[in-house]
């Protein structure tokens, strides 16, 4: 029973649903402030967990990331359904002081500003982030139009090895991110001779594949490019492309990687600006390497979706 002078009103399920999407204030609308704060706490904990999430190298991120997304989706749906259930089954409700349109508006604005602040302040440190490949310098591993997830804990949590694909900040302009393959470790010597990679004075095993790589141009034209499998001394294998035998970077001086730095190259050897060009890229400081690609989650070539990046 309501006190004399107090207003009672039936809660509408569709209003509760809408308010859940605008700051999660549906629980306030149906008179469940405790559940509102529980929902808020779970959301904050979930975002914090994503911020510190590290995908261990022994787990396949193509499984773990969708699984985590599914868990968060189920939790969100639970809160929405629960709020609608309360609105449908509850008796006419005695309005409280917080049942005002401007309270719902304040909650919506506060949660929106909180979300923006989270992205601005914590966003750059999120361990799982998405990237876009704007060029074909890493073809055939990454082609233009690929979107991929990375573990931004990267090489602070995982030891950098020869053959790893890495995302790093360009030394001469750290606002720019590049993605290349680590070829040389501190102290290594690197040289290209007639398109063959020499590591510490020895030629890296290079096997030409019988089938060429078919490159699709922006106008729909296609071209066949020779592709090779390289095998590094640590056993890592990957594919490279050879556009021409007369590239300016097919023959280089010998590079010696300084301590605390790495030497990176693109898999599309004749179409990659990388450590071979010292004035533009050069040796990459260890502190600049911060992310390890996981897998492709979207591509213009739908068959590439889900491809693991090694």
């Amino acid at each position: 029973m309501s006190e004399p002078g107090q207003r009672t009103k039936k809660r509408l399920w569709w209003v509760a649903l809408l308010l859940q999407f605008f700051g999660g204030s549906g629980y306030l609308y149906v008179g469940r402030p405790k559940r509102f704060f529980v929902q808020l706490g779970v959301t904050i904990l979930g975002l914090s967990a994503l911020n510190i999430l590290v995908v261990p190298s022994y787990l396949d991120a193509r499984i773990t990331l969708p699984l985590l997304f599914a868990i968060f989706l189920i939790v969100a749906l639970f809160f929405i359904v629960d709020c609608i259930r309360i609105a449908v089954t509850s008796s006419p409700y005695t309005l409280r002081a917080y049942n005002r349109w401007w309270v719902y508006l304040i909650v919506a604005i506060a949660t929106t500003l909180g979300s923006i602040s989270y992205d601005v302040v914590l966003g750059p440190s999120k361990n799982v982030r998405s990237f876009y490949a704007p060029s074909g310098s890493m073809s055939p591993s990454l082609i233009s139009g690929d979107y991929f997830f990375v573990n931004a804990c990267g090489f602070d949590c995982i030891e950098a090895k020869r053959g790893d694909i890495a995302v790093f900040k360009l030394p001469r302009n750290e606002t720019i991110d590049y993605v290349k393959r680590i070829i040389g470790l501190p102290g290594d010597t690197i040289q290209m001779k007639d398109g063959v990679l020499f590591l510490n004075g020895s030629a890296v095993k290079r096997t030409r594949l019988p089938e060429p790589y078919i490159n699709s141009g922006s106008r729909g034209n296609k071209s066949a490019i020779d592709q090779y499998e390289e095998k590094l001394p640590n056993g890592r294998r990957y594919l490279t492309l050879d556009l021409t035998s007369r590239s300016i970077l097919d023959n280089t001086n010998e590079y010696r990687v300084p301590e605390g730095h790495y030497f990176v190259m693109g898999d599309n050897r004749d179409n990659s600006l990388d450590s071979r060009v010292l004035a533009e890229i050069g040796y990459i400081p260890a502190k600049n390497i911060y992310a390890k690609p996981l897998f492709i989650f979207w591509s213009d070539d739908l068959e590439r979706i889900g491809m693991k990046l090694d």
Side-chain angles (χ1 to χ4, degrees):
M1 295 289 293
S2 61
E3 297 294 331
Q6 289 184 323
R7 294 176 59 199
T8 61
K9 204 168 185 180
K10 178 67 177 175
R11 302 287 83 182
L12 303 175
W13 70 266
W14 59 269
V15 176
L17 174 62
L18 286 176
L19 289 176
Q20 278 295 87
F21 285 105
F22 289 95
S25 56
Y27 275 128
L28 294 180
Y29 173 75
V30 298
R32 298 294 191 277
K34 290 183 179 179
R35 296 197 185 195
F36 166 76
F37 287 110
V38 169
Q39 174 185 248
L40 182 62
V42 169
T43 302
I44 293 173
L45 287 174
L47 291 174
S48 300
L50 281 177
N51 186 56
I52 63 174
L53 175 67
V54 177
V55 179
S57 57
Y58 56 83
L59 293 180
D60 192 336
R62 294 173 295 179
I63 298 174
T64 54
L65 289 182
L67 180 61
L68 286 171
F69 176 78
I71 292 172
F72 284 117
L73 182 61
I74 290 170
V75 172
L77 287 174
F78 167 79
F79 284 125
I80 291 172
V81 172
D82 183 54
C83 188
I84 293 174
R85 179 191 61 80
I86 294 172
V88 170
T89 60
S90 62
S91 303
Y93 163 68
T94 301
L95 299 184
R96 302 290 193 269
Y98 50 77
N99 291 126
R100 301 290 186 271
W101 67 266
W102 52 267
V103 174
Y104 307 141
L105 180 61
I106 289 174
V107 170
I109 293 174
T111 53
T112 300
L113 291 177
S115 177
I116 294 173
S117 299
Y118 173 85
D119 286 336
V120 171
V121 176
L122 296 179
S125 67
K126 288 179 182 176
N127 285 327
V128 177
R129 299 171 59 187
S130 62
F131 278 85
Y132 167 71
S135 73
S137 68
M138 276 296 293
S139 295
S141 298
L142 281 168
I143 66 173
S144 179
D146 283 349
Y147 290 82
F148 56 99
F149 284 125
V150 304
N151 181 354
C153 172
F155 298 98
D156 288 333
C157 305
I158 304 169
E159 180 185 0
K161 299 177 182 178
R162 292 191 191 96
D164 284 342
I165 301 176
V167 179
F168 59 91
K169 293 189 176 297
L170 190 64
R172 62 182 175 83
N173 185 351
E174 295 192 354
T175 64
I176 300 176
D177 294 317
Y178 266 57
V179 56
K180 303 291 180 184
R181 190 179 297 277
I182 295 175
I183 298 297
L185 304 180
D188 283 347
T189 60
I190 309 290
Q191 189 173 14
M192 296 294 294
K193 297 180 182 180
D194 297 324
V196 177
L197 172 64
F198 279 73
L199 178 61
N200 295 324
S202 300
V204 170
K205 185 177 180 181
R206 182 175 185 244
T207 305
R208 182 174 177 175
L209 301 186
E211 295 294 328
Y213 174 77
I214 305 301
N215 181 59
S216 298
S218 57
R219 297 182 179 180
N221 55 312
K222 296 185 177 182
S223 58
I225 303 173
D226 290 339
Q227 58 179 337
Y228 293 81
E229 181 188 72
E230 281 187 354
K231 181 181 178 182
L232 295 176
N234 63 357
R236 290 295 298 274
R237 300 170 184 262
Y238 50 88
L239 300 181
T240 65
L241 301 183
D242 189 5
L243 293 171
T244 174
S245 60
R246 295 184 295 274
S247 168
I248 191 173
L249 295 176
D250 277 345
N251 290 280
T252 68
N253 295 325
E254 184 179 83
Y255 307 92
R256 182 174 294 276
V257 186
E259 287 300 318
H261 292 71
Y262 292 86
F263 194 95
V264 299
M265 295 174 65
D267 291 345
N268 193 349
R269 291 290 164 78
D270 299 324
N271 189 26
S272 173
L273 187 64
D274 49 44
S275 289
R276 293 172 292 177
V277 186
L278 295 178
E280 294 292 331
I281 307 294
Y283 308 111
I284 309 302
K287 66 180 181 64
N288 285 46
I289 301 176
Y290 71 94
K292 181 178 176 62
L294 298 171
F295 68 94
I296 297 168
F297 68 87
W298 182 256
S299 176
D300 294 337
D301 181 355
L302 299 182
E303 293 183 356
R304 295 177 59 81
I305 296 175
M307 184 181 296
K308 190 174 181 180
L309 296 171
D310 292 318

